[in-house]
Amino acid sequence: GGQQTMIGTSIGIALYPGDSEEGEDLVRAADTALYRAKEAGRGTFRFFEAQMDVRLQERRMLERDLRQALAAEQLKVHYQPLADCGGGGMVGFEALVRWNHPERGFISPAQFIPLAEECGLIMPLGAWVLRRACADAATWPDDKLVAVNLSPAQFRHADLAKEILAVLRETGLPPHRLELEVTESLLIDDPDRVLSTLMVLKEAGVRISLDDFGTGYSSLSYLQRFPFDKIKIDRSFVSPMEKNADSMSIIRAVIALGKSLRIKITAEGVETEAQLGLLQQEQCDLVQGYLLGKPMAKADLGKMLAAA
Ligand code: C2E
Ligand code: CA
Ligand code: CA
């Protein structure tokens, strides 16, 4: 139909009779190797190795458990303060999902979010976190915003903007109190479509924040093409800032960029008074990190807000 399509190839290889003498097992081994080729960034090949099987089994189990966890509401959303850099007051909270596995204990989102993205569970999981976070935020004082992380995979859903706006209506949270955190990697695949989805949300009053700035492909052209409300400087620049003059220069430059583009800058992973002092000196807008507050359960946040 006149449309251009790009096709890529990943290959998994199993060898007869070394990997198996049975047809079905051979195909399964090749499939396992194919999976690893995709994991290695696609467009490549992998030969089957025995230990791949162990890892795959492990992942399948984790995937099954994650499905159950979602159904059984074993997941929780914790909230970490986002504070004003100068005054220290809380402007809002970032929603961070938590999984307390019945046998394995606490599993980090850095581990299960990528898994959820691969097996398609990120759609229901992301929708669940968003609804939970908006419902919780609707009970907070009305000047506090909630920031929710969105995975690139969620943008493959055609009606993402409509869905988010429906959640806002249903939970009664005004759009300007929701901030969506997206990463640069999101803007690589299909920037036009993603930017138009973000624009619909932004026009409805939702704020858009560029997360982990500096770690991805950091193309400054995105800053020109999309009016982000905030940029979050990644922790990997903030942690070494006291000792490393280069990371300090980068932070200073990003803050200056933010000022001239009228985009607010948040520094992530602030752990020491010395870091906070330097950020205040540079007139950074917002800070987040263990120094200001760790992610906490909804009940603890409720107590903190009641005491304030
Ligand atoms: P992120 O969005 O960059 O979130 C900040 C992470 O840094 C959180 O880890 C937070 O606990 C941690 N952190 C905050 N302050 C400090 C600090 O001062 N020092 C140190 N060392 N760490 C700090 P967490 O909760 O383990 O989340 C890891 C990542 O998982 C997040 O990184 C985000 O990319 C992803 N994630 C978490 N929840 C969700 C979610 O609901 N949806 C999606 N799509 N991704 C999520
Ligand atoms: Ca984030
Ligand atoms: Ca981040």
Side-chain angles (χ1 to χ4, degrees):
Q3 302 277 336
Q4 195 175 337
T5 308
M6 304 284 268
I7 297 171
T9 309
S10 301
I11 302 174
I13 306 166
L15 297 174
Y16 173 89
D19 292 332
S20 175
E21 294 189 3
E22 303 294 327
E24 212 172 288
D25 285 352
L26 263 183
V27 171
R28 201 170 54 85
D31 204 42
T32 303
L34 170 64
Y35 185 80
R36 291 300 292 274
K38 288 184 179 166
E39 211 180 45
R42 300 169 185 269
T44 183
F45 64 91
R46 284 291 179 272
F47 282 93
F48 176 77
E49 289 163 29
Q51 91 269 11
M52 286 180 179
D53 232 8
V54 178
R55 276 201 47 196
L56 194 73
Q57 292 289 334
E58 168 94 350
R59 286 182 76 89
R60 291 214 173 109
M61 257 164 60
L62 205 60
E63 185 186 324
R64 184 203 58 201
D65 289 357
L66 184 56
R67 251 175 235 287
Q68 283 171 0
L70 194 60
E73 301 236 342
Q74 267 174 25
L75 300 173
K76 295 265 175 300
V77 181
H78 280 199
Y79 296 97
Q80 185 178 31
L82 296 158
D84 183 70
C85 185
M90 305 288 166
V91 303
F93 302 89
E94 177 174 358
L96 294 159
V97 67
R98 296 286 175 263
W99 181 12
N100 200 348
H101 190 284
E103 283 124 43
R104 296 166 179 228
F106 173 78
I107 301 176
S108 163
Q111 214 180 323
F112 70 83
I113 292 286
L115 178 70
E117 285 173 339
E118 273 168 39
C119 66
L121 269 180
I122 193 67
M123 295 295 190
L125 195 156
W128 180 82
V129 171
L130 180 77
R131 187 171 292 271
R132 185 75 265 150
C134 290
D136 287 346
T139 69
W140 304 342
D142 59 16
D143 60 336
K144 305 281 187 258
L145 61 84
V146 65
V148 178
N149 293 286
L150 285 187
S151 281
Q154 291 175 263
F155 281 79
R156 277 176 222 137
H157 190 301
D159 280 334
L160 181 69
K162 220 191 218 171
E163 210 171 85
I164 292 173
L165 297 177
V167 169
L168 286 170
R169 261 195 316 277
E170 286 157 28
T171 56
L173 187 73
H176 70 269
R177 289 182 54 204
L178 175 65
E179 193 165 276
L180 299 173
E181 297 197 359
V182 301
T183 53
E184 292 161 311
S185 61
L186 170 70
L187 303 163
I188 307 264
D189 274 356
D190 187 354
D192 293 332
R193 207 166 66 87
V194 168
L195 292 177
S196 71
T197 301
L198 291 178
M199 202 52 100
V200 171
L201 289 161
K202 189 168 166 106
E203 270 160 17
V206 175
R207 296 181 207 186
I208 314 290
S209 178
L210 187 56
D211 202 359
D212 303 341
F213 188 70
T215 58
Y217 305 81
S218 296
S219 165
L220 295 174
S221 71
Y222 298 133
L223 299 183
Q224 191 177 315
R225 285 180 65 192
F226 188 80
F228 287 102
D229 298 282
K230 277 183 195 161
I231 291 174
K232 298 184 81 171
I233 309 180
D234 190 67
R235 175 157 57 92
S236 57
F237 298 99
V238 176
S239 307
M241 71 189 288
E242 295 159 69
K243 295 184 198 85
N244 184 331
D246 292 343
S247 55
M248 190 65 224
S249 305
I250 291 171
I251 289 176
R252 195 174 285 136
V254 175
I255 292 172
L257 192 67
K259 293 250 182 292
S260 53
L261 293 172
R262 281 180 299 280
I263 301 176
K264 287 216 187 304
I265 304 294
T266 306
E268 295 193 277
V270 179
E271 294 181 350
T272 68
E273 290 287 352
Q275 289 164 353
L276 181 63
L278 285 170
L279 291 162
Q280 284 171 336
Q281 202 176 303
E282 297 301 328
Q283 298 185 324
C284 184
D285 300 292
L286 298 156
V287 280
Q288 178 178 12
Y290 294 166
L291 180 70
L292 295 310
K294 291 199 170 180
M296 58 193 135
K298 174 184 162 182
D300 296 325
L301 173 59
K303 275 181 222 148
M304 196 188 92
L305 288 171

